[in-house]
Coordinates of all heavy atoms in Angstrom, one line a residue:
R325 N 11.1 18.0 0.0 CA 9.9 18.1 0.9 C 9.8 16.8 1.7 O 9.3 16.7 2.9 CB 8.7 18.4 0.2 CG 8.6 19.9 -0.3 CD 7.5 20.1 -1.2 NE 7.4 21.5 -1.6 CZ 6.7 22.0 -2.5 NH1 5.8 21.1 -3.3 NH2 6.6 23.3 -2.8
L326 N 10.4 15.7 1.1 CA 10.4 14.5 1.9 C 11.6 14.3 2.8 O 11.8 13.2 3.4 CB 10.4 13.3 0.9 CG 9.1 13.2 0.1 CD1 9.3 12.2 -1.2 CD2 8.0 12.5 0.9
G327 N 12.4 15.3 2.9 CA 13.6 15.3 3.7 C 14.8 14.6 3.2 O 15.7 14.2 4.0
G328 N 14.8 14.4 1.9 CA 15.9 13.7 1.2 C 17.2 14.5 1.2 O 17.3 15.8 1.1
A329 N 18.4 13.8 1.3 CA 19.6 14.4 1.4 C 20.2 14.5 0.1 O 20.1 13.6 -0.8 CB 20.6 13.7 2.3
F330 N 20.9 15.6 -0.4 CA 21.6 15.7 -1.6 C 22.9 16.4 -1.3 O 23.2 17.2 -0.4 CB 20.7 16.4 -2.6 CG 20.5 17.9 -2.3 CD1 21.4 18.8 -2.7 CD2 19.4 18.3 -1.6 CE1 21.3 20.2 -2.5 CE2 19.2 19.7 -1.4 CZ 20.1 20.7 -1.8
G331 N 23.9 16.3 -2.4 CA 25.0 17.0 -2.5 C 25.3 17.3 -4.0 O 24.5 16.8 -4.8
V332 N 26.3 18.1 -4.4 CA 26.6 18.5 -5.6 C 28.0 17.9 -6.1 O 28.9 17.8 -5.2 CB 26.5 19.9 -5.9 CG1 24.9 20.4 -5.6 CG2 27.4 20.7 -5.0
G333 N 28.1 17.7 -7.3 CA 29.4 17.4 -8.0 C 29.6 18.0 -9.3 O 28.6 18.4 -10.0
S334 N 30.8 18.1 -9.8 CA 31.1 18.8 -11.0 C 31.2 17.7 -12.1 O 31.4 18.1 -13.4 CB 32.3 19.6 -11.0 OG 33.5 18.9 -10.6
D335 N 31.3 16.4 -11.9 CA 31.1 15.3 -12.8 C 32.0 15.4 -14.0 O 33.3 15.1 -13.9 CB 29.7 15.3 -13.3 CG 29.3 13.9 -13.9 OD1 30.2 13.1 -14.3 OD2 28.0 13.6 -14.3
S336 N 31.5 16.0 -15.1 CA 32.5 16.0 -16.3 C 33.3 17.3 -16.4 O 34.0 17.4 -17.4 CB 31.6 16.0 -17.6 OG 30.8 17.0 -17.8
H337 N 33.0 18.2 -15.5 CA 33.8 19.5 -15.4 C 33.6 20.4 -16.5 O 34.7 21.1 -16.8 CB 35.3 19.0 -15.1 CG 35.5 17.9 -14.1 ND1 35.0 18.0 -12.8 CD2 36.0 16.7 -14.3 CE1 35.3 16.9 -12.2 NE2 35.9 16.0 -13.1
I338 N 32.4 20.4 -17.2 CA 32.3 21.5 -18.0 C 32.1 22.9 -17.2 O 32.2 23.9 -17.8 CB 31.1 21.2 -19.0 CG1 29.9 20.8 -18.2 CG2 31.5 20.2 -20.0 CD1 28.9 21.7 -17.9
S339 N 31.8 22.7 -15.9 CA 32.0 23.8 -15.0 C 32.6 23.1 -13.6 O 32.3 22.1 -13.3 CB 30.5 24.3 -14.6 OG 30.6 25.2 -13.5
V340 N 33.4 24.0 -13.1 CA 34.1 23.6 -11.8 C 33.7 24.6 -10.8 O 34.6 25.3 -10.2 CB 35.6 23.4 -12.0 CG1 36.2 22.8 -10.7 CG2 35.9 22.6 -13.3
S341 N 32.5 24.7 -10.5 CA 32.1 25.8 -9.5 C 30.9 25.2 -8.7 O 29.8 25.0 -9.3 CB 31.5 27.0 -10.3 OG 30.9 27.9 -9.5
P342 N 31.1 25.2 -7.4 CA 29.9 24.8 -6.6 C 28.7 25.7 -6.7 O 27.6 25.3 -6.6 CB 30.5 24.7 -5.2 CG 31.6 25.5 -5.2 CD 32.3 25.5 -6.6
V343 N 29.0 27.1 -6.8 CA 28.0 28.0 -6.8 C 27.1 27.8 -8.1 O 25.9 27.9 -8.1 CB 28.7 29.5 -7.0 CG1 27.6 30.5 -7.5 CG2 29.2 29.8 -5.7
E344 N 27.7 27.4 -9.2 CA 26.9 27.2 -10.5 C 26.1 25.9 -10.3 O 24.9 25.9 -10.9 CB 27.8 27.0 -11.8 CG 27.0 27.0 -13.0 CD 27.9 27.3 -14.3 OE1 29.1 27.3 -14.2 OE2 27.2 27.5 -15.3
E345 N 26.5 24.9 -9.7 CA 25.8 23.7 -9.4 C 24.5 24.0 -8.6 O 23.4 23.7 -8.9 CB 26.5 22.6 -8.7 CG 27.7 22.2 -9.5 CD 27.7 21.6 -10.8 OE1 26.5 21.1 -11.2 OE2 28.5 21.5 -11.6
L346 N 24.7 24.8 -7.6 CA 23.6 25.1 -6.7 C 22.6 26.0 -7.5 O 21.4 25.9 -7.4 CB 24.1 25.8 -5.4 CG 25.0 25.0 -4.5 CD1 25.5 25.7 -3.4 CD2 24.2 23.8 -3.9
R347 N 23.2 26.9 -8.2 CA 22.3 27.9 -8.9 C 21.4 27.2 -9.9 O 20.2 27.4 -9.9 CB 23.1 28.9 -9.6 CG 22.3 30.0 -10.3 CD 23.3 30.9 -11.2 NE 24.2 31.6 -10.2 CZ 25.4 32.1 -10.7 NH1 25.8 32.0 -11.9 NH2 26.2 32.7 -9.8
W348 N 22.0 26.3 -10.6 CA 21.2 25.6 -11.7 C 20.3 24.5 -11.2 O 19.4 24.1 -11.7 CB 22.2 25.0 -12.8 CG 22.4 26.2 -13.8 CD1 23.6 27.0 -13.8 CD2 21.4 26.7 -14.7 NE1 23.4 27.9 -14.7 CE2 22.1 27.8 -15.3 CE3 20.2 26.4 -15.0 CZ2 21.4 28.6 -16.2 CZ3 19.6 27.3 -16.0 CH2 20.2 28.3 -16.6
L349 N 20.6 23.9 -9.9 CA 19.7 23.2 -9.2 C 18.3 23.8 -8.9 O 17.3 23.4 -9.2 CB 20.3 22.5 -7.9 CG 19.4 21.8 -7.1 CD1 18.9 20.5 -8.0 CD2 20.2 21.3 -5.8
E350 N 18.5 25.0 -8.5 CA 17.4 25.9 -8.2 C 16.7 26.3 -9.4 O 15.5 26.3 -9.6 CB 17.7 27.0 -7.2 CG 16.7 28.2 -7.3 CD 15.4 27.8 -6.5 OE1 15.4 26.8 -5.8 OE2 14.5 28.7 -6.6
Y351 N 17.5 27.0 -10.4 CA 16.9 27.4 -11.6 C 16.2 26.3 -12.4 O 15.2 26.7 -13.1 CB 18.0 28.0 -12.5 CG 18.5 29.4 -12.1 CD1 19.5 30.0 -12.8 CD2 18.0 30.1 -11.0 CE1 20.1 31.3 -12.5 CE2 18.3 31.4 -10.7 CZ 19.3 31.9 -11.3 OH 19.8 33.2 -11.0
G352 N 16.7 25.1 -12.5 CA 16.0 24.0 -13.2 C 14.5 23.9 -12.6 O 13.6 23.8 -13.4
Q353 N 14.4 24.0 -11.2 CA 13.1 23.8 -10.7 C 12.2 25.0 -11.0 O 11.0 25.0 -11.3 CB 13.1 23.7 -9.2 CG 14.0 22.5 -8.8 CD 13.7 21.2 -9.4 OE1 12.5 20.7 -9.4 NE2 14.6 20.6 -10.1
R354 N 12.8 26.3 -11.1 CA 12.0 27.5 -11.4 C 11.6 27.4 -12.9 O 10.4 27.7 -13.2 CB 12.9 28.7 -11.4 CG 13.3 29.0 -9.9 CD 14.1 30.4 -9.8 NE 14.6 30.6 -8.4 CZ 15.2 31.6 -8.0 NH1 15.3 32.7 -8.8 NH2 15.7 31.8 -6.8
L355 N 12.4 26.8 -13.8 CA 11.9 26.7 -15.2 C 10.8 25.6 -15.3 O 9.9 25.9 -16.2 CB 13.1 26.3 -16.0 CG 14.3 27.4 -16.2 CD1 15.5 26.8 -16.9 CD2 13.7 28.5 -17.1

Side-chain angles (χ1 to χ4, degrees):
R325 289 173 180 167
L326 291 163
F330 69 85
V332 295
S334 56
D335 196 350
S336 67
H337 316 301
I338 48 89
S339 172
V340 187
S341 166
V343 164
E344 192 168 8
E345 302 301 338
L346 296 174
R347 181 185 301 162
W348 277 102
L349 177 57
E350 165 69 15
Y351 281 178
Q353 306 308 304
R354 294 186 188 190
L355 290 167

